mmCIF file of all heavy atoms in Angstrom:
data_model
loop_
_atom_site.group_PDB
_atom_site.id
_atom_site.type_symbol
_atom_site.label_atom_id
_atom_site.label_comp_id
_atom_site.label_asym_id
_atom_site.label_seq_id
_atom_site.Cartn_x
_atom_site.Cartn_y
_atom_site.Cartn_z
ATOM 1 N N GLY A 1 -24.259 -78.608 -178.317
ATOM 2 C CA GLY A 1 -23.718 -78.206 -176.956
ATOM 3 C C GLY A 1 -24.455 -76.952 -176.448
ATOM 4 O O GLY A 1 -25.115 -76.227 -177.220
ATOM 5 N N TYR A 2 -24.312 -76.721 -175.168
ATOM 6 C CA TYR A 2 -25.089 -75.683 -174.541
ATOM 7 C C TYR A 2 -24.598 -74.311 -175.026
ATOM 8 O O TYR A 2 -25.394 -73.325 -175.112
ATOM 9 C CB TYR A 2 -24.969 -75.728 -173.054
ATOM 10 C CG TYR A 2 -23.680 -75.259 -172.419
ATOM 11 C CD1 TYR A 2 -23.569 -73.961 -171.970
ATOM 12 C CD2 TYR A 2 -22.603 -76.130 -172.328
ATOM 13 C CE1 TYR A 2 -22.373 -73.531 -171.432
ATOM 14 C CE2 TYR A 2 -21.447 -75.682 -171.796
ATOM 15 C CZ TYR A 2 -21.313 -74.370 -171.308
ATOM 16 O OH TYR A 2 -20.099 -73.901 -170.801
ATOM 17 N N GLU A 3 -23.405 -74.165 -175.315
ATOM 18 C CA GLU A 3 -22.869 -72.788 -175.865
ATOM 19 C C GLU A 3 -23.540 -72.426 -177.155
ATOM 20 O O GLU A 3 -23.893 -71.310 -177.305
ATOM 21 C CB GLU A 3 -21.309 -72.865 -175.960
ATOM 22 C CG GLU A 3 -20.589 -72.965 -174.689
ATOM 23 C CD GLU A 3 -19.078 -73.057 -174.877
ATOM 24 O OE1 GLU A 3 -18.650 -73.229 -176.037
ATOM 25 O OE2 GLU A 3 -18.344 -73.131 -173.872
ATOM 26 N N ALA A 4 -23.620 -73.400 -178.022
ATOM 27 C CA ALA A 4 -24.294 -73.116 -179.306
ATOM 28 C C ALA A 4 -25.819 -72.740 -179.124
ATOM 29 O O ALA A 4 -26.400 -71.867 -179.764
ATOM 30 C CB ALA A 4 -24.173 -74.280 -180.233
ATOM 31 N N ILE A 5 -26.362 -73.478 -178.185
ATOM 32 C CA ILE A 5 -27.801 -73.267 -177.917
ATOM 33 C C ILE A 5 -28.029 -71.809 -177.382
ATOM 34 O O ILE A 5 -28.921 -71.090 -177.696
ATOM 35 C CB ILE A 5 -28.454 -74.360 -176.983
ATOM 36 C CG1 ILE A 5 -28.512 -75.699 -177.812
ATOM 37 C CG2 ILE A 5 -29.864 -73.919 -176.542
ATOM 38 C CD1 ILE A 5 -28.753 -76.875 -176.929
ATOM 39 N N ILE A 6 -27.105 -71.473 -176.493
ATOM 40 C CA ILE A 6 -27.156 -70.098 -175.849
ATOM 41 C C ILE A 6 -26.906 -69.087 -176.895
ATOM 42 O O ILE A 6 -27.711 -68.064 -177.019
ATOM 43 C CB ILE A 6 -26.098 -69.951 -174.756
ATOM 44 C CG1 ILE A 6 -26.537 -70.860 -173.534
ATOM 45 C CG2 ILE A 6 -25.942 -68.493 -174.293
ATOM 46 C CD1 ILE A 6 -25.535 -70.937 -172.485
ATOM 47 N N VAL A 7 -25.926 -69.214 -177.815
ATOM 48 C CA VAL A 7 -25.735 -68.283 -178.939
ATOM 49 C C VAL A 7 -26.999 -68.133 -179.774
ATOM 50 O O VAL A 7 -27.406 -66.991 -180.069
ATOM 51 C CB VAL A 7 -24.555 -68.781 -179.800
ATOM 52 C CG1 VAL A 7 -24.398 -67.949 -181.045
ATOM 53 C CG2 VAL A 7 -23.188 -68.513 -178.971
ATOM 54 N N MET A 8 -27.565 -69.255 -180.206
ATOM 55 C CA MET A 8 -28.701 -69.168 -181.065
ATOM 56 C C MET A 8 -29.954 -68.617 -180.453
ATOM 57 O O MET A 8 -30.658 -67.854 -181.052
ATOM 58 C CB MET A 8 -28.952 -70.563 -181.647
ATOM 59 C CG MET A 8 -27.956 -71.096 -182.548
ATOM 60 S SD MET A 8 -27.603 -69.948 -184.003
ATOM 61 C CE MET A 8 -29.164 -70.255 -184.906
ATOM 62 N N LEU A 9 -30.161 -68.986 -179.162
ATOM 63 C CA LEU A 9 -31.394 -68.450 -178.405
ATOM 64 C C LEU A 9 -31.222 -67.017 -178.180
ATOM 65 O O LEU A 9 -32.187 -66.270 -178.348
ATOM 66 C CB LEU A 9 -31.650 -69.235 -177.131
ATOM 67 C CG LEU A 9 -32.208 -70.701 -177.347
ATOM 68 C CD1 LEU A 9 -32.387 -71.383 -175.992
ATOM 69 C CD2 LEU A 9 -33.540 -70.582 -178.100
ATOM 70 N N VAL A 10 -30.024 -66.540 -177.703
ATOM 71 C CA VAL A 10 -29.866 -65.107 -177.388
ATOM 72 C C VAL A 10 -30.009 -64.326 -178.725
ATOM 73 O O VAL A 10 -30.668 -63.229 -178.754
ATOM 74 C CB VAL A 10 -28.548 -64.870 -176.739
ATOM 75 C CG1 VAL A 10 -28.184 -63.395 -176.713
ATOM 76 C CG2 VAL A 10 -28.540 -65.445 -175.283
ATOM 77 N N GLY A 11 -29.365 -64.762 -179.768
ATOM 78 C CA GLY A 11 -29.466 -64.158 -181.016
ATOM 79 C C GLY A 11 -30.887 -64.099 -181.589
ATOM 80 O O GLY A 11 -31.313 -63.142 -182.113
ATOM 81 N N GLY A 12 -31.610 -65.210 -181.428
ATOM 82 C CA GLY A 12 -33.025 -65.285 -181.872
ATOM 83 C C GLY A 12 -33.893 -64.343 -181.105
ATOM 84 O O GLY A 12 -34.849 -63.730 -181.729
ATOM 85 N N VAL A 13 -33.694 -64.330 -179.773
ATOM 86 C CA VAL A 13 -34.532 -63.375 -178.997
ATOM 87 C C VAL A 13 -34.248 -61.862 -179.372
ATOM 88 O O VAL A 13 -35.228 -61.120 -179.583
ATOM 89 C CB VAL A 13 -34.334 -63.595 -177.466
ATOM 90 C CG1 VAL A 13 -34.811 -62.502 -176.656
ATOM 91 C CG2 VAL A 13 -34.900 -64.933 -177.034
ATOM 92 N N LEU A 14 -32.986 -61.544 -179.623
ATOM 93 C CA LEU A 14 -32.590 -60.253 -179.982
ATOM 94 C C LEU A 14 -33.217 -59.898 -181.376
ATOM 95 O O LEU A 14 -33.691 -58.799 -181.606
ATOM 96 C CB LEU A 14 -31.130 -60.003 -180.012
ATOM 97 C CG LEU A 14 -30.415 -60.026 -178.580
ATOM 98 C CD1 LEU A 14 -28.913 -59.993 -178.826
ATOM 99 C CD2 LEU A 14 -30.882 -58.901 -177.774
ATOM 100 N N LEU A 15 -33.190 -60.885 -182.284
ATOM 101 C CA LEU A 15 -33.809 -60.640 -183.633
ATOM 102 C C LEU A 15 -35.272 -60.546 -183.566
ATOM 103 O O LEU A 15 -35.933 -59.736 -184.220
ATOM 104 C CB LEU A 15 -33.342 -61.843 -184.512
ATOM 105 C CG LEU A 15 -33.872 -61.792 -185.957
ATOM 106 C CD1 LEU A 15 -33.233 -60.544 -186.703
ATOM 107 C CD2 LEU A 15 -33.487 -63.098 -186.623
ATOM 108 N N ALA A 16 -35.977 -61.327 -182.683
ATOM 109 C CA ALA A 16 -37.433 -61.471 -182.671
ATOM 110 C C ALA A 16 -38.084 -60.246 -181.960
ATOM 111 O O ALA A 16 -39.169 -59.871 -182.315
ATOM 112 C CB ALA A 16 -37.707 -62.702 -181.929
ATOM 113 N N MET A 17 -37.379 -59.637 -180.940
ATOM 114 C CA MET A 17 -38.046 -58.659 -180.121
ATOM 115 C C MET A 17 -38.647 -57.433 -180.907
ATOM 116 O O MET A 17 -39.814 -57.110 -180.713
ATOM 117 C CB MET A 17 -37.067 -58.112 -179.037
ATOM 118 C CG MET A 17 -36.896 -59.094 -177.925
ATOM 119 S SD MET A 17 -38.406 -59.742 -177.222
ATOM 120 C CE MET A 17 -39.118 -58.306 -176.465
ATOM 121 N N PRO A 18 -37.914 -56.766 -181.768
ATOM 122 C CA PRO A 18 -38.516 -55.656 -182.485
ATOM 123 C C PRO A 18 -39.736 -56.119 -183.371
ATOM 124 O O PRO A 18 -40.684 -55.396 -183.448
ATOM 125 C CB PRO A 18 -37.412 -55.068 -183.374
ATOM 126 C CG PRO A 18 -36.251 -56.003 -183.314
ATOM 127 C CD PRO A 18 -36.539 -56.906 -182.149
ATOM 128 N N PHE A 19 -39.611 -57.238 -183.959
ATOM 129 C CA PHE A 19 -40.658 -57.709 -184.828
ATOM 130 C C PHE A 19 -41.921 -58.127 -184.023
ATOM 131 O O PHE A 19 -43.084 -57.925 -184.439
ATOM 132 C CB PHE A 19 -40.272 -58.955 -185.677
ATOM 133 C CG PHE A 19 -39.238 -58.626 -186.708
ATOM 134 C CD1 PHE A 19 -37.820 -58.932 -186.510
ATOM 135 C CD2 PHE A 19 -39.589 -57.964 -187.837
ATOM 136 C CE1 PHE A 19 -36.884 -58.488 -187.414
ATOM 137 C CE2 PHE A 19 -38.581 -57.600 -188.787
ATOM 138 C CZ PHE A 19 -37.247 -57.858 -188.681
ATOM 139 N N THR A 20 -41.599 -58.679 -182.783
ATOM 140 C CA THR A 20 -42.746 -59.036 -181.912
ATOM 141 C C THR A 20 -43.538 -57.810 -181.476
ATOM 142 O O THR A 20 -44.765 -57.811 -181.553
ATOM 143 C CB THR A 20 -42.206 -59.751 -180.678
ATOM 144 O OG1 THR A 20 -41.474 -60.922 -181.144
ATOM 145 C CG2 THR A 20 -43.266 -60.140 -179.652
ATOM 146 N N ILE A 21 -42.826 -56.777 -180.992
ATOM 147 C CA ILE A 21 -43.474 -55.563 -180.526
ATOM 148 C C ILE A 21 -44.241 -54.935 -181.712
ATOM 149 O O ILE A 21 -45.475 -54.578 -181.547
ATOM 150 C CB ILE A 21 -42.415 -54.622 -179.899
ATOM 151 C CG1 ILE A 21 -41.867 -55.215 -178.625
ATOM 152 C CG2 ILE A 21 -43.051 -53.243 -179.686
ATOM 153 C CD1 ILE A 21 -40.630 -54.518 -178.161
ATOM 154 N N ALA A 22 -43.649 -54.813 -182.864
ATOM 155 C CA ALA A 22 -44.263 -54.190 -183.996
ATOM 156 C C ALA A 22 -45.533 -55.003 -184.406
ATOM 157 O O ALA A 22 -46.573 -54.436 -184.725
ATOM 158 C CB ALA A 22 -43.352 -54.070 -185.197
ATOM 159 N N SER A 23 -45.409 -56.339 -184.396
ATOM 160 C CA SER A 23 -46.524 -57.170 -184.821
ATOM 161 C C SER A 23 -47.778 -57.043 -183.879
ATOM 162 O O SER A 23 -48.909 -57.147 -184.338
ATOM 163 C CB SER A 23 -46.160 -58.700 -184.942
ATOM 164 O OG SER A 23 -45.772 -59.186 -183.677
ATOM 165 N N TYR A 24 -47.568 -56.855 -182.587
ATOM 166 C CA TYR A 24 -48.634 -56.711 -181.706
ATOM 167 C C TYR A 24 -49.374 -55.488 -182.109
ATOM 168 O O TYR A 24 -50.648 -55.588 -182.277
ATOM 169 C CB TYR A 24 -48.189 -56.592 -180.253
ATOM 170 C CG TYR A 24 -49.332 -56.156 -179.318
ATOM 171 C CD1 TYR A 24 -50.227 -57.199 -178.870
ATOM 172 C CD2 TYR A 24 -49.590 -54.909 -179.035
ATOM 173 C CE1 TYR A 24 -51.283 -56.806 -178.102
ATOM 174 C CE2 TYR A 24 -50.702 -54.513 -178.258
ATOM 175 C CZ TYR A 24 -51.583 -55.519 -177.790
ATOM 176 O OH TYR A 24 -52.637 -55.189 -177.014
ATOM 177 N N TYR A 25 -48.723 -54.349 -182.278
ATOM 178 C CA TYR A 25 -49.404 -53.109 -182.588
ATOM 179 C C TYR A 25 -50.079 -53.151 -183.949
ATOM 180 O O TYR A 25 -51.116 -52.677 -184.185
ATOM 181 C CB TYR A 25 -48.520 -51.941 -182.359
ATOM 182 C CG TYR A 25 -48.219 -51.682 -180.960
ATOM 183 C CD1 TYR A 25 -46.984 -51.995 -180.363
ATOM 184 C CD2 TYR A 25 -49.189 -51.059 -180.098
ATOM 185 C CE1 TYR A 25 -46.700 -51.763 -179.090
ATOM 186 C CE2 TYR A 25 -48.932 -50.952 -178.737
ATOM 187 C CZ TYR A 25 -47.647 -51.170 -178.281
ATOM 188 O OH TYR A 25 -47.493 -51.069 -176.942
ATOM 189 N N LEU A 26 -49.363 -53.673 -184.866
ATOM 190 C CA LEU A 26 -49.831 -53.815 -186.291
ATOM 191 C C LEU A 26 -51.096 -54.684 -186.317
ATOM 192 O O LEU A 26 -52.090 -54.383 -186.967
ATOM 193 C CB LEU A 26 -48.765 -54.330 -187.262
ATOM 194 C CG LEU A 26 -49.120 -54.463 -188.710
ATOM 195 C CD1 LEU A 26 -49.385 -53.001 -189.279
ATOM 196 C CD2 LEU A 26 -47.954 -55.016 -189.447
ATOM 197 N N ALA A 27 -50.989 -55.890 -185.658
ATOM 198 C CA ALA A 27 -52.173 -56.747 -185.567
ATOM 199 C C ALA A 27 -53.389 -56.062 -184.957
ATOM 200 O O ALA A 27 -54.480 -56.156 -185.407
ATOM 201 C CB ALA A 27 -51.866 -57.991 -184.872
ATOM 202 N N ASN A 28 -53.104 -55.363 -183.788
ATOM 203 C CA ASN A 28 -54.199 -54.716 -183.092
ATOM 204 C C ASN A 28 -54.915 -53.681 -183.903
ATOM 205 O O ASN A 28 -56.102 -53.725 -184.057
ATOM 206 C CB ASN A 28 -53.724 -54.155 -181.769
ATOM 207 C CG ASN A 28 -54.832 -53.920 -180.813
ATOM 208 O OD1 ASN A 28 -55.863 -53.447 -181.106
ATOM 209 N ND2 ASN A 28 -54.533 -54.313 -179.519
ATOM 210 N N ILE A 29 -54.097 -52.841 -184.525
ATOM 211 C CA ILE A 29 -54.638 -51.739 -185.436
ATOM 212 C C ILE A 29 -55.439 -52.359 -186.554
ATOM 213 O O ILE A 29 -56.506 -51.898 -186.931
ATOM 214 C CB ILE A 29 -53.524 -50.846 -185.938
ATOM 215 C CG1 ILE A 29 -53.030 -49.988 -184.683
ATOM 216 C CG2 ILE A 29 -53.995 -49.961 -187.032
ATOM 217 C CD1 ILE A 29 -51.713 -49.312 -185.044
ATOM 218 N N THR A 30 -54.837 -53.410 -187.202
ATOM 219 C CA THR A 30 -55.467 -53.955 -188.409
ATOM 220 C C THR A 30 -56.732 -54.670 -188.021
ATOM 221 O O THR A 30 -57.815 -54.525 -188.754
ATOM 222 C CB THR A 30 -54.454 -54.989 -189.087
ATOM 223 O OG1 THR A 30 -53.253 -54.284 -189.303
ATOM 224 C CG2 THR A 30 -55.038 -55.568 -190.372
ATOM 225 N N ILE A 31 -56.813 -55.450 -186.924
ATOM 226 C CA ILE A 31 -57.931 -56.143 -186.559
ATOM 227 C C ILE A 31 -59.115 -55.160 -186.164
ATOM 228 O O ILE A 31 -60.290 -55.340 -186.644
ATOM 229 C CB ILE A 31 -57.710 -57.106 -185.315
ATOM 230 C CG1 ILE A 31 -56.803 -58.249 -185.878
ATOM 231 C CG2 ILE A 31 -58.963 -57.601 -184.695
ATOM 232 C CD1 ILE A 31 -56.153 -59.110 -184.730
ATOM 233 N N VAL A 32 -58.780 -54.142 -185.414
ATOM 234 C CA VAL A 32 -59.806 -53.099 -185.055
ATOM 235 C C VAL A 32 -60.345 -52.467 -186.323
ATOM 236 O O VAL A 32 -61.561 -52.330 -186.391
ATOM 237 C CB VAL A 32 -59.192 -52.097 -184.009
ATOM 238 C CG1 VAL A 32 -60.145 -50.891 -183.815
ATOM 239 C CG2 VAL A 32 -58.980 -52.828 -182.734
ATOM 240 N N LYS A 33 -59.447 -52.011 -187.229
ATOM 241 C CA LYS A 33 -59.975 -51.365 -188.479
ATOM 242 C C LYS A 33 -60.777 -52.290 -189.259
ATOM 243 O O LYS A 33 -61.835 -51.940 -189.846
ATOM 244 C CB LYS A 33 -58.800 -50.915 -189.296
ATOM 245 C CG LYS A 33 -58.187 -49.600 -188.845
ATOM 246 C CD LYS A 33 -57.144 -49.086 -189.799
ATOM 247 C CE LYS A 33 -56.489 -47.803 -189.339
ATOM 248 N NZ LYS A 33 -55.499 -47.381 -190.248
#
């Protein structure tokens, strides 16, 4: 149902955001080095 999909997607986005931001900077620094 749509309620479950909303719960999982909202929760997934909230979980993913800090890791996404950190991974961009970590990847950039690591690749350049």
Side-chain angles (χ1 to χ4, degrees):
Y2 78 93
E3 292 175 356
I5 292 170
I6 290 171
V7 166
M8 292 303 291
L9 285 178
V10 168
V13 167
L14 291 174
L15 180 63
M17 286 309 293
F19 293 104
T20 301
I21 294 166
S23 67
Y24 172 82
Y25 290 106
L26 184 63
N28 201 315
I29 290 166
T30 307
I31 290 167
V32 169
K33 280 185 179 180

